[in-house]
């Protein structure tokens, strides 16, 4: 039978990310990581900080694996959990740093009425002195 290389880290980390995010409040945590791109960044954050765990096995056996969680010790599971929490905070803080820019576009919908003093700051003639 042909052999295949199986990465046990990715499914364990992905499963733990789902479990841990489910315990966080929806906003801002679950909402911030609702996109697959941010979840992948979180998984990459954790995976880059833990040792990789690969095995070779028959392709048929690799497809029938229930869960590779038992391949990690309790301490390794605790480390993965800590890294997920750290990654959530790290990536969420980078999202928060962009909030003023993303809110700027919505703030323009709440501009003062024409003719008010603060509206004169927005006219092109005031930009050049």
């Amino acid at each position: 039978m042909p052999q295949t290389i199986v990465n046990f880290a990715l499914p364990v980390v992905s499963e733990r990310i789902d479990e841990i995010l489910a315990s966080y409040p929806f906003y801002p945590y679950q909402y911030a990581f609702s996109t697959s791109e941010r979840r992948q960044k979180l998984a990459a954050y954790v995976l880059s900080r833990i040792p990789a765990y690969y095995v070779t096995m028959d392709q048929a056996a690799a497809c029938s694996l229930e869960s590779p969680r038992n391949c990690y010790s309790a301490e390794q599971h605790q480390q993965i959990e800590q890294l997920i929490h750290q990654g959530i905070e790290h990536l969420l803080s980078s999202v928060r740093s962009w909030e003023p820019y993303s809110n700027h576009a919505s703030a323009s919908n709440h501009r003062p009425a024409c003719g008010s003093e603060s509206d004169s700051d927005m006219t092109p003639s005031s930009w050049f002195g």
Side-chain angles (χ1 to χ4, degrees):
M1 291 202 133
Q3 295 281 307
T4 187
I5 298 173
V6 179
N7 178 357
F8 279 149
L10 181 59
V12 170
V13 168
S14 295
E15 184 178 326
R16 290 299 296 147
I17 286 173
D18 292 341
E19 291 170 1
I20 289 172
L21 278 174
S23 70
Y24 275 78
F26 177 76
Y27 189 83
Y29 298 97
Q30 291 180 24
Y31 177 77
F33 291 96
S34 62
T35 65
S36 63
E37 179 183 347
R38 286 211 186 110
R39 283 205 183 215
Q40 287 176 358
K41 285 182 179 183
L42 179 57
Y45 179 92
V46 176
L47 289 170
S48 67
R49 288 161 174 79
I50 62 171
Y53 190 46
Y54 294 96
V55 295
T56 58
M57 38 182 16
D58 294 333
Q59 280 184 330
C63 294
S64 67
L65 285 175
E66 289 293 319
S67 176
R69 284 184 106 166
N70 298 333
C71 298
Y72 288 95
S73 69
E75 289 132 3
Q76 289 171 319
H77 279 285
Q78 188 176 21
Q79 179 188 17
I80 290 170
E81 187 172 320
Q82 283 179 317
L83 287 168
I84 291 170
H85 289 293
Q86 288 173 4
I88 288 170
E89 292 303 320
H90 173 76
L91 294 171
L92 193 59
S93 69
S94 68
V95 169
R96 285 181 184 146
S97 70
W98 284 95
E99 282 182 354
Y101 301 108
S102 62
N103 288 340
H104 180 64
S106 62
S108 66
N109 295 334
H110 302 291
R111 288 182 42 197
C114 277
S116 68
E117 284 184 34
S118 56
D119 191 41
S120 64
D121 292 338
M122 299 300 289
T123 59
S125 62
S126 68
W127 295 350
F128 301 106

